[in-house]
Amino acid sequence: MVNTQYKPVAPDQRARDLTKELTLLEREEAGPDRAARLATFVRAAHVERQLNLAMHAANLCLAEDPDAPTMLIDAYATDTDPEERLRTLGDLRDLARYVERPDVVEFADRQLRAEAMEWVRAGEEHERRHRLRTVQNATNRTVADQIRDELAFLS
């Protein structure tokens, strides 16, 4: 006999829960409060890789945010670990491309490059190679090569 208390949540259940949550958010009155909740929802949906839900909620959030895209950017700026922050900024950049927001793409690219440069620079010589590979995975080879070349020039 299976004890339902210890039964793991099926991945499909999490997707259904997110869909229900978005439906409830859509029924709320439009405004800055809903935009803030939508921004948090966007990040949660993105973490669960429910990109269609994330894109739909992002469009709603950006339409209602009085200082667009501040709330959406803030929702993605919660990580303190530098490695995780790079991945999160990459997620924000990808989401912005999907919802056709070049201003957010530019912000994410600038922030990603600046934080990656600072993080790689802060490491010891032997750590830099590992960190450059991490930057390459989070962004692309061109960004990692530019950082490596700039660090070599500064040395």
Side-chain angles (χ1 to χ4, degrees), residues 15-39:
R16 285 192 298 274
D17 290 345
L18 286 170
T19 302
K20 288 177 188 176
E21 187 177 342
L22 181 59
T23 302
L24 291 173
L25 284 170
E26 288 176 322
R27 291 180 184 158
E28 290 181 12
E29 186 176 327
D33 291 336
R34 181 174 99 156
R37 285 190 295 282
L38 281 166

Side-chain angles (χ1 to χ4, degrees), residues 8-9 16 23-24 45 48 73 76 79 88 92 96-98 100 119 136 146:
V9 175
R16 285 192 298 274
T23 302
L24 291 173
E48 294 293 329
I73 289 171
Y76 278 79
D79 292 312
T88 301
L92 176 62
R97 276 195 353 245
Y98 300 150
E100 299 175 357
W119 182 58
Q136 181 177 335
Q146 288 172 348

